[in-house]
Amino acid sequence: MARVDYFNDPQAPKANSIVPSVTAFVLNDAGEVLLIHKTDNDLWALPGGGVDVGESAPAAAVRETKEETGYDIEVTGLVGLFTHPGHVMAYDDGEVRQQFSICFTARITGGERRTSSESKEVAFVAPDKLDELTIHPSMRLRIDRGLSGTAEPYIG
């Protein structure tokens, strides 16, 4: 399903849903960030997705990362809580979702890189190469916050 992301856009459609979601901020030993090139909006992003009923948020981050990248991870901490009401995602089925995302820090424990129906590319990207990619401002905020090494989680 295709989607369009809006951020602080007065022309954005009004949200009609909110779904708890998660992302995983993972660095390799070289300090590169694990990113996926998404199939639904053609943007680069941290792996992640919706939390299923009966699932904890950290378990969702582990599941989504495995599904989208092939890597097994262990959640190690919290980057922050991202709930900006000015960030909405309009899907082609009429849903317009307000952002509600918990971003965790994590480390790889196994698995092998692979793509999925949600990720057309999976890559570790050096921080100095991030500006070469098309990344939504809200996702870039999560990445930059993760790279900052700030112990205090972002709440916003």
Side-chain angles (χ1 to χ4, degrees):
M1 178 177 352
R3 83 177 204 205
V4 176
D5 286 67
Y6 297 88
F7 191 67
N8 293 333
D9 184 343
Q11 302 302 313
K14 183 177 167 120
N16 56 31
S17 75
I18 189 165
V19 176
S21 67
V22 295
T23 52
F25 178 80
V26 180
L27 295 176
N28 64 10
D29 291 339
E32 299 166 318
V33 183
L34 177 62
L35 296 176
I36 63 169
H37 194 176
K38 298 181 65 66
T39 59
D40 64 355
N41 63 7
D42 202 33
L43 298 174
W44 286 87
L46 298 170
V51 179
D52 291 339
V53 173
E55 181 178 49
S56 72
V62 170
R63 175 183 52 78
E64 286 285 348
T65 301
K66 179 68 170 184
E67 289 174 4
E68 295 176 354
T69 71
Y71 290 115
D72 299 307
I73 63 165
E74 173 186 41
V75 169
T76 58
L78 183 66
V79 173
L81 177 62
F82 298 83
T83 60
H84 194 302
H87 179 197
V88 297
M89 296 144 284
Y91 294 86
D92 57 8
D93 67 355
E95 179 186 10
V96 181
R97 187 180 299 173
Q98 178 182 322
Q99 173 187 243
F100 184 100
S101 182
I102 304 164
C103 184
F104 294 100
T105 57
R107 66 177 188 86
I108 292 179
T109 60
E112 293 184 18
R113 181 187 342 211
R114 66 167 169 71
T115 59
S116 72
S117 62
E118 297 177 71
S119 59
K120 56 184 167 183
E121 292 179 70
V122 176
F124 281 97
V125 179
D128 64 347
K129 301 292 185 192
L130 291 169
D131 289 337
E132 298 172 16
L133 304 177
T134 306
I135 301 171
H136 189 274
S138 178
M139 187 63 63
R140 185 59 191 257
L141 177 61
R142 292 174 227 184
I143 294 167
D144 290 345
R145 185 67 181 207
L147 287 169
S148 75
T150 304
E152 186 86 10
Y154 175 87
I155 306 295

